[in-house]
Amino acid sequence: TQLLEQSPQFLSIQEGENLTVYCNSSSVFSSLQWYRQEPGEGPVLLVTVVTGGEVKKLKRLTFQFGDARKDSSLHITAAQPGDTGLYLCAGGEGSGGYQKVTFGTGTKLQVIP
Amino acid sequence: EAGVTQFPSHSVIEKGQTVTLRCDPISGHDNLYWYRRVMGKEIKFLLHFVKESKQDESGMPNNRFLAERTGGTYSTLKVQPAELEDSGVYFCASSPTWKDGYTFGSGTRLTVV
């Protein structure tokens, strides 16, 4: 089972600032998902990337999958208090009709109004 | 579309007792997953059902944990007898196919005292 390290672990920023969260592993993923989790709720899927070098945008959020499919980043532009939450990357390993997803260590983001 | 439903939301039991957690996935989702987060740790995979069959149960901690999925619909996770280290939040998720991102339930917070 691969270990997915996220950095930073904690991030507290002012509203309007930009930030980047990183997800790194020594192993290759077949896919990479990003989730956001709020207290008392389950993780909510934000995006899935499957191709090395792939970039996806979701409003102010930009997700990038590394060329070698070992790492990913999440960039938020002009953060808002509603972006506060726990951000989780999750790497999929396997193919041929089955994939096991392993979650990262998480980044707790606080956006201060 | 109704989401993934988990019951109960909270459970406090004594060491040695039995607890059964239930998950109702999104209707039509063949894939159902159980994950667990213990205090301060990342979300860990427990097992994966495809319809009523166990695709992967490599994450089940030991034989005190028993998961079933009756008729490929809802699933139960029974812990018998519970130990202190079983405390944590148990998440259920479902997806239409193995390639899709997951929809999570809100989790069951289990406390063993």
Side-chain angles (χ1 to χ4, degrees), chain A residues 4-44:
Chain A
L4 299 174
E5 292 279 357
Q6 287 185 237
S7 61
Q9 278 188 289
F10 303 96
L11 190 56
S12 182
I13 61 172
Q14 294 291 326
E15 180 177 359
E17 293 184 354
N18 302 332
L19 68 116
T20 302
V21 176
Y22 299 93
C23 173
N24 293 289
S25 174
S26 58
S27 301
V28 176
F29 310 134
S30 56
S31 70
L32 198 292
Q33 303 165 6
W34 282 93
Y35 292 82
R36 184 173 74 204
Q37 184 179 14
E38 298 188 28
E41 299 294 329
V44 175

Side-chain angles (χ1 to χ4, degrees), chain A residues 45-66:
Chain A
L45 179 68
L46 297 175
V47 76
T48 300
V49 286
V50 297
T51 305
E54 183 175 1
V55 177
K56 280 193 174 179
K57 292 193 175 184
L58 184 66
K59 296 183 181 178
R60 295 176 294 99
L61 277 61
T62 302
F63 306 86
Q64 184 162 8
F65 202 8

